[in-house]
Amino acid sequence: MEIKMKGRAAVVVLGDIGRSPQMQYHALSLASQAGMEVDIVADGGTDPHMAVIENLSIHLHKMRPIHLRRLSNISRPLILVLKTFIQFVQLIWFLCVKIPRPDVFIVQNPPSVPTLAAVKLASWLRRSKFVIDWHNFGYTLLGLSHGRSHPFVKIYHWCELFFGRMAHGTLCVTRAMKHELDQNWGIKATVLYDQPPEFFHPTSLEEKHELFYRLQKELCHSHGILDCVSFEMRGLNDSSSREGNESDSTATLFSTKVGHDIFLKPNRPALVVSSTSWTSDEDFGLLLEAAVLYDRRAAAALKEDDMAEVEMLWSDIRSADLGVCLHTSSSGLDLPMKVVDMFGCGLPVCAVSYSWLF
């Protein structure tokens, strides 16, 4: 059935589109469900999901990243002002010249400066609607590195408030953020709960085994360090070559395939996954520190010959695969998208607790 196009939308991200999953999902929803032509204007960097790239109704426009390394002799505040001005001009060029006129601009916030001002001006010049999707507050993120009382943070907060009130529509991710925008910012927002797209779903045993088998060679590289993965894989490969057993050739560190049957190994190591945006409100070092503490506890149990303790440590983790979220939220009001995606895959999540996560 042919879908009649109902308009055009521009999705604006002053950042790496590949690391902005929610804006990619907006583009997919607008193109697939609303039948709109969608222009994504974003910084170059990581490629978006293949579903975005392959969608014929989505058009990606990448802006060149701005590097001012040659101006190291200029003071940092002046460099920030200059970079902001260049970004503003670049955004106006793309939004007003490079892309066709949209019916609506949808912009991710943060970053707020100069994005909100540029999109507001473009929407006025092109007579388009202006919608803000609030993921968090930009001034609280800036405050993590400069302090809430810093003049830059106060100016940033004013800009975010001033242009935020000019939007024709406002979306946010939690009821707590809606309440904050309503009561303290004078902005009426609509809560749009995050949902994982269709390509996030639980995997079958067959899919897991095929993935582990494809990654077998990469997992086997020890780089001079005999970690548990490379050591186990080397032993598995050695035994396979010695015995010439065909079924062993389909064994991986996590699974075994015998004929048409696939089994997860009862003694498989824990597989922990995480994702990070590398922002200051996410301390990825916590995961590394936890791994070190776990290793010390296991080593102490071995020294004491307490096998019951060792078995308890391993059984606690290998009972299920685990997702880790280290997002702490600079505002305490947003919801990390990575948790929603992990839920879509049927993955239990261990997250850093803050007031509005639950």
Side-chain angles (χ1 to χ4, degrees), residues 114-325:
T115 323
L116 299 186
V119 177
K120 175 57 187 176
L121 177 59
S123 69
W124 178 72
L125 291 174
R126 310 202 75 176
R127 298 183 180 181
S128 306
K129 297 296 182 181
F130 172 36
V131 175
I132 303 175
D133 184 5
W134 293 76
H135 294 198
N136 200 349
F137 295 125
Y139 83 95
T140 61
L141 282 171
L142 189 62
L144 292 177
S145 56
H146 292 80
R148 293 285 183 93
S149 60
H150 194 280
F152 274 178
V153 177
K154 292 183 178 180
I155 294 172
Y156 202 102
H157 186 195
W158 181 87
C159 293
E160 197 169 19
L161 174 64
F162 180 78
F163 291 105
R165 288 175 173 173
M166 292 185 175
H168 297 102
T170 304
L171 307 173
C172 63
V173 293
T174 63
R175 290 187 178 275
M177 184 173 288
K178 171 182 171 62
H179 183 268
E180 170 69 15
L181 289 170
D182 185 12
Q183 297 298 316
N184 299 322
W185 294 58
I187 296 174
K188 300 295 182 181
T190 299
V191 179
L192 184 64
Y193 291 113
D194 287 331
Q195 292 185 351
E198 293 181 357
F199 47 78
F200 281 106
H201 57 81
T203 55
S204 65
L205 276 177
E206 184 177 0
E207 290 173 323
K208 290 180 181 178
H209 180 77
E210 290 178 356
L211 173 64
F212 296 148
Y213 191 72
R214 289 200 308 270
L215 296 177
Q216 185 166 303
K217 292 182 179 180
E218 284 76 9
L219 291 173
C220 194
H221 288 305
S222 62
H223 300 287
I225 302 175
L226 288 179
D227 54 40
C228 64
V229 173
S230 58
F231 182 79
E232 179 74 16
M233 289 299 297
R234 188 179 67 173
L236 184 150
N237 293 334
D238 289 345
S239 63
S240 174
S241 61
R242 286 195 305 269
E243 299 174 8
N245 190 331
E246 186 176 347
S247 64
D248 284 344
S249 65
T250 61
T252 74
L253 184 64
F254 300 90
S255 58
T256 303
K257 183 176 183 180
V258 181
H260 297 289
D261 298 323
I262 299 174
F263 309 93
L264 288 176
K265 292 183 175 181
N267 63 336
R268 67 187 184 276
L271 180 60
V272 179
V273 298
S274 183
S275 62
T276 179
S277 53
W278 303 110
T279 54
S280 51
D281 61 346
E282 191 170 78
D283 186 4
F284 205 73
L286 286 175
L287 182 60
L288 303 179
E289 291 173 9
V292 172
L293 291 174
Y294 178 86
D295 185 64
R296 289 175 181 172
R297 185 178 171 190
L302 282 171
K303 288 181 180 179
E304 297 172 3
D305 198 23
D306 188 352
M307 294 308 298
E309 173 74 3
V310 176
E311 285 296 322
M312 183 189 71
L313 287 171
W314 280 107
S315 62
D316 284 347
I317 295 184
R318 71 167 181 248
S319 60
D321 291 332
L322 182 69
V324 174
C325 174

